[in-house]
Amino acid sequence: MKLIKRSIFLWSFFMACGFTNAQDVKDTSFKDAFKGKFYIGVALNRWQSNGSNPEEQKLIKAEFNSISPENDMKWENIHPSKDTYNFEHADAYVKTGKQMDMFIIGHTLLWHSQTPDWVFKDDQGNLLTRDALLKRLEDHINTVVGRYKGVIKGWDVVNEALNEDGTLRKSKWYNILGDDYIVKAFEYAHAADPDAELYYNDYNLYKKEKRAGAVKIVNQLKAKGVPIKAVGEQGHYSLTGPAISEVESTLQDFIKAGVNVNITELDISVLPDKGASTTADVSNNAAYKKELDPYTDGLPKDIEKKLADSYQSLFKLFMKYENKIDRVTFWGLSDRNTWLNNWPIRGRTNYPLPFNRDLSAKTQVKEAILKAAK
């Protein structure tokens, strides 16, 4: 009797989703489910970009139609010293994107983190003047954007420039260049490739105060006649938040400001976050405790169900605003290499993505996301 009831339940579920059987769910990709709605993207690490694992490459090509680089276009990797550019890994990433016919994203041109100290200093070790740093920034953007002009379709021009209260972070960029450094970066990027989409990208924009700071950036750019296509809400969420109403307010406020929205770094942590503040700042960290790492032997089905419900709620919301959302990108391919295994607490076992460590789909999660596409 239990088996019959389960069969009836599964048949009803798949019919409600618009699928006729479980094989249809397995065979339906994310990119096909959301075709004509928005791009479904994934962030690639270096080994995925260079094709070290054919199984991963097969999954990337099958499920996604947009890619972002996790680290290989950040300043410390692509421009490690004053007179040295290293395009080896960035070129491999772009080559992979072209071969797979992806909408290719560049990430990121200006960030306070993962930027070498030499960028801000002259040959004697003194801090650069405003004019000298602007010239260095312009040269960097011209070189990097110019190399991939017409191939990389969208750039995260500035990343994480805001404090949690919406004020500008007092980074070295800000301290040397002043309030208009974001405008200057966008101007340089637009000049380097006038056809590329330009974005501002940040985390925790579901917080009203921080979001107001991002809207101010959008308004500042528009007042200067500098194009900005979309704001990226990173989407580093958890099972406990944010509320869907907060995410919806985020979408609404940016739409009112006259830009589209990208969900750029989506993942949902299933682990307790006690001991670490709710921020995606890479400098955030906390001490390891066994009670904060409860699922080392596998993800319980009831927790996977909560994860599936969270993803479904989000994607239903994204579908509601499909005309103003250009892209939803998962920050990582699978649980085996998610950054959340080591952040904000090193050594934990997290399960934030739709694909398991063995690259199989989390059944409940994928079904839930596909259902939201209907």
Side-chain angles (χ1 to χ4, degrees):
M1 182 62 69
K2 287 184 178 179
L3 182 59
I4 294 173
K5 286 182 177 180
R6 176 171 174 78
S7 297
I8 294 172
F9 168 79
L10 288 173
W11 180 85
S12 300
F13 176 84
F14 293 128
M15 290 298 291
C17 291
F19 304 112
T20 57
N21 54 54
Q23 190 65 38
D24 286 344
V25 175
K26 182 180 179 181
D27 291 343
T28 301
S29 68
F30 286 139
K31 68 180 182 181
D32 288 340
F34 293 95
K35 186 176 182 179
K37 310 300 183 182
F38 38 73
Y39 288 109
I40 296 292
V42 62
L44 304 190
N45 62 34
R46 178 171 298 176
W47 299 273
Q48 291 159 349
S49 292
N50 66 25
S52 296
N53 187 324
E55 188 180 9
E56 287 187 326
Q57 288 237 320
K58 182 179 178 180
L59 181 61
I60 291 163
K61 185 175 182 179
E63 293 286 344
F64 304 100
N65 51 21
S66 177
I67 55 171
S68 299
E70 282 188 350
N71 287 296
D72 283 328
M73 285 189 164
K74 291 171 181 173
W75 200 310
E76 69 178 5
N77 289 323
I78 206 168
H79 194 177
S81 61
K82 182 180 176 182
D83 299 317
T84 302
Y85 282 89
N86 179 5
F87 290 111
E88 177 186 357
H89 303 298
D91 283 353
Y93 160 77
V94 171
K95 181 180 179 181
T96 291
K98 290 173 67 177
Q99 290 174 340
M100 294 185 180
D101 194 27
M102 296 284 184
F103 187 89
I104 306 173
I105 301 299
H107 175 83
T108 179
L109 295 173
L110 187 154
W111 189 24
H112 67 275
S113 187
Q114 293 182 249
T115 303
D117 284 342
W118 70 262
V119 174
F120 306 101
K121 297 178 180 180
D122 63 20
D123 293 340
Q124 287 72 47
N126 302 309
L127 286 179
L128 294 179
T129 64
R130 170 183 161 88
D131 287 346
L133 184 55
L134 283 175
K135 182 65 167 61
R136 187 162 287 178
L137 176 63
E138 183 178 20
D139 289 346
H140 175 85
I141 290 176
N142 281 341
T143 301
V144 176
V145 176
R147 184 178 184 88
Y148 304 110
K149 182 178 181 180
V151 179
I152 288 183
K153 301 299 185 182
W155 285 95
D156 290 330
V157 180
V158 176
N159 194 50
E160 300 176 4
L162 296 169
N163 296 311
E164 294 300 282
D165 64 358
T167 59
L168 288 174
R169 187 190 294 266
K170 300 304 186 288
S171 64
K172 290 179 181 178
W173 293 111
Y174 175 88
N175 290 337
I176 297 174
L177 299 180
D179 288 351
D180 68 340
Y181 82 92
I182 296 174
V183 171
K184 302 304 291 185
F186 272 78
E187 286 178 344
Y188 299 151
H190 181 57
D193 187 351
D195 294 326
E197 296 181 357
L198 306 182
Y199 321 122
Y200 173 74
N201 190 59
D202 215 326
Y203 57 85
N204 286 1
L205 296 178
Y206 64 85
K207 295 181 177 180
K208 186 176 181 180
E209 295 81 8
K210 191 168 189 178
R211 183 165 69 250
V215 170
K216 185 176 180 180
I217 289 172
V218 171
N219 291 337
Q220 186 180 24
L221 289 165
K222 287 181 172 292
K224 295 291 187 178
V226 182
I228 175 172
K229 178 60 161 48
V231 170
E233 155 67 346
Q234 289 185 9
H236 294 300
Y237 301 148
S238 75
L239 293 181
T240 59
I244 286 295
S245 60
E246 292 177 306
V247 181
E248 182 164 24
S249 293
T250 304
L251 302 178
Q252 290 173 340
D253 283 357
F254 288 126
I255 292 168
K256 289 176 184 176
V259 292
N260 284 8
V261 183
N262 295 324
I263 309 300
T264 57
E265 303 184 17
L266 183 60
D267 46 34
I268 300 177
S269 175
V270 302
L271 299 182
D273 58 8
K274 183 179 179 182
S277 58
T278 54
T279 169
D281 193 312
V282 293
S283 65
N284 188 28
N285 62 80
Y288 181 91
K289 296 178 182 179
K290 178 59 179 175
E291 60 266 29
L292 300 180
D293 191 18
Y295 309 128
T296 56
D297 295 328
L299 184 65
K301 287 299 180 184
D302 62 322
I303 303 301
E304 182 180 329
K305 177 62 165 61
K306 290 181 180 179
L307 181 64
D309 290 344
S310 295
Y311 268 120
Q312 185 173 90
S313 296
L314 284 169
F315 273 88
K316 283 182 177 179
L317 179 65
F318 301 157
M319 286 293 290
K320 181 178 177 180
Y321 293 91
E322 62 177 274
N323 292 332
K324 294 296 182 179
I325 292 178
D326 297 324
R327 173 170 49 92
V328 177
T329 296
F330 293 98
W331 201 243
L333 178 62
S334 72
D335 294 340
R336 71 166 61 163
N337 42 37
T338 172
W339 73 305
L340 292 175
N341 289 327
N342 292 306
W343 181 94
I345 300 170
R346 293 195 64 82
R348 295 200 297 177
T349 307
N350 213 327
Y351 304 82
L353 296 166
F355 294 98
N356 296 303
R357 283 167 172 75
D358 64 359
L359 302 184
S360 64
K362 290 188 179 75
T363 303
Q364 296 184 77
V365 174
K366 187 171 184 182
E367 289 172 354
I369 294 173
L370 293 178
K371 184 176 181 180
K374 295 295 180 179

